[in-house]
Amino acid sequence: MFDRLTNFESLFEEFRRIEQELDEALGRWTPPSGIRSVARGTFPPINVGGTPDEVHVYLFAAGLDPKTVDLSIQQNLLTVTGERQIPVKENAAYYRRERFGGAFRRVIALPEDVDPDRVDAKYRDGVLQVTVRRRESAKPRQIQVQ
Amino acid sequence: MTDKQVAAKEIPAAERSEPELVLRPPVDIYEDAEGITLQLDMPGVSRDRLDIQADRNALVIEGRGAIDMPQGMEALYAEVRSTSFRRSFALSSELEPEKIEANLQDGVLTLRVPRRAELRPRKIEVR
């Protein structure tokens, strides 16, 4: 699903981003950015997807110890904190150090209709997947015409 | 094998019409007395979806992530627009590509590329 987004939308988004950076460099007016939006490359990157019943949050965080990850939800704000330890090898020459190491904290605003009491999380292959159910009353209902 | 040949082989004909986004995984590389170690972040990639090719000249790492997504899910927000990874490195002659050890855990790939035993630093005793 996210693959499909890559084709056109990301291309246009890339153009928009370049345009926006140019605008900023030239001191032009720029549209406001989301108050919780983060700079590109913030660890861990996040995708959010939704079905009529659930909202799924994917955190792409390889090499985490799931026990050190702290998840909390307040109404529709999901907060994920943790730390990724990257031990430095002694007596070694480093050529590249591109991987993020240290503490992180991300706050994600979910749709308003999520139920904060029904949250599941699992960690597999370096992806933390958080599933939050939507409230029953918020789901679309079929209304019979009498 | 050149980069081009690998790319042509890996992309199925059906997908060639639309350019697929392939991410460059971040890497840490260090060298110690035994050889070179690489660590790459490839979240979502499992062992069976990882392909590592090494010959005398190059090391090519490719992975395709698979994430659980329920039917009919709509993207609400996406910072990651692909779960395919690819990165390649040129190898030098003092390394032994046939003895590379690979380990994948929680989306972190660790590769040990040993240096030829006869080329490892030797402690020279002063008499």
Side-chain angles (χ1 to χ4, degrees), chain B residues 85-96:
Chain B
F85 298 93
R86 183 172 194 282
R87 198 147 179 183
S88 55
F89 301 92
L91 294 177
S92 52
S93 59
E94 78 278 11
L95 300 168
E96 281 189 291

Side-chain angles (χ1 to χ4, degrees), chain A residues 85-140:
Chain A
Q85 300 270 6
I86 301 222
V88 177
K89 178 92 176 166
E90 278 176 43
N91 299 321
Y94 273 84
Y95 301 122
R96 282 176 189 270
R97 292 183 74 174
E98 298 171 356
R99 297 165 66 230
F100 172 88
F104 61 86
R105 180 187 185 90
R106 293 239 28 200
V107 180
I108 309 123
L110 301 176
E112 301 275 339
D113 64 348
V114 295
D115 185 345
D117 296 326
R118 293 161 80 197
V119 188
D120 285 312
K122 63 174 180 181
Y123 185 63
R124 212 186 70 194
D125 294 331
V127 179
L128 178 65
Q129 183 180 350
V130 184
T131 305
V132 191
R133 305 278 296 176
R134 291 187 198 258
R135 270 192 220 99
E136 294 290 331
S137 58
K139 279 191 225 166

Side-chain angles (χ1 to χ4, degrees), chain A residues 53-67:
Chain A
D53 297 329
E54 292 163 343
V55 175
H56 295 262
V57 181
Y58 302 88
L59 292 102
F60 296 84
L64 281 190
D65 177 358
K67 278 178 245 133

Side-chain angles (χ1 to χ4, degrees), chain B residues 49-109:
Chain B
R49 300 176 72 91
L50 183 68
D51 183 40
I52 305 163
Q53 295 200 14
D55 62 20
R56 198 189 286 257
N57 304 312
L59 171 65
V60 181
I61 300 144
E62 283 178 297
R64 278 172 172 276
I67 29 178
D68 288 354
M69 280 186 285
Q71 283 278 307
M73 189 162 86
E74 272 175 62
L76 300 175
Y77 175 69
E79 291 172 2
V80 175
R81 299 196 169 253
S82 170
T83 50
S84 289
F85 298 93
R86 183 172 194 282
R87 198 147 179 183
S88 55
F89 301 92
L91 294 177
S92 52
S93 59
E94 78 278 11
L95 300 168
E96 281 189 291
E98 55 284 353
K99 288 195 184 157
I100 293 178
E101 280 171 42
N103 173 50
L104 180 68
Q105 199 185 353
D106 294 333
V108 178
L109 174 67

Side-chain angles (χ1 to χ4, degrees), chain A residues 4-19:
Chain A
R4 253 188 289 124
L5 286 171
T6 60
N7 303 325
F8 289 103
E9 283 167 53
S10 74
L11 190 70
F12 287 129
E13 195 179 79
E14 198 68 3
F15 282 136
R16 262 199 301 275
R17 185 184 62 79
I18 293 165
E19 199 185 316

Side-chain angles (χ1 to χ4, degrees), chain B residues 10-73:
Chain B
E10 288 301 314
I11 301 168
E15 291 173 27
R16 217 173 288 160
S17 56
E18 287 176 2
E20 190 204 14
L21 189 73
V22 180
L23 305 175
R24 214 170 100 106
V27 66
D28 287 351
I29 304 177
Y30 62 81
E31 180 161 23
D32 55 22
E34 280 78 44
I36 292 183
T37 302
L38 296 93
Q39 289 191 297
L40 299 99
D41 284 348
M42 301 169 87
V45 177
S46 55
R47 202 175 301 176
D48 51 315
R49 300 176 72 91
L50 183 68
D51 183 40
I52 305 163
Q53 295 200 14
D55 62 20
R56 198 189 286 257
N57 304 312
L59 171 65
V60 181
I61 300 144
E62 283 178 297
R64 278 172 172 276
I67 29 178
D68 288 354
M69 280 186 285
Q71 283 278 307
M73 189 162 86

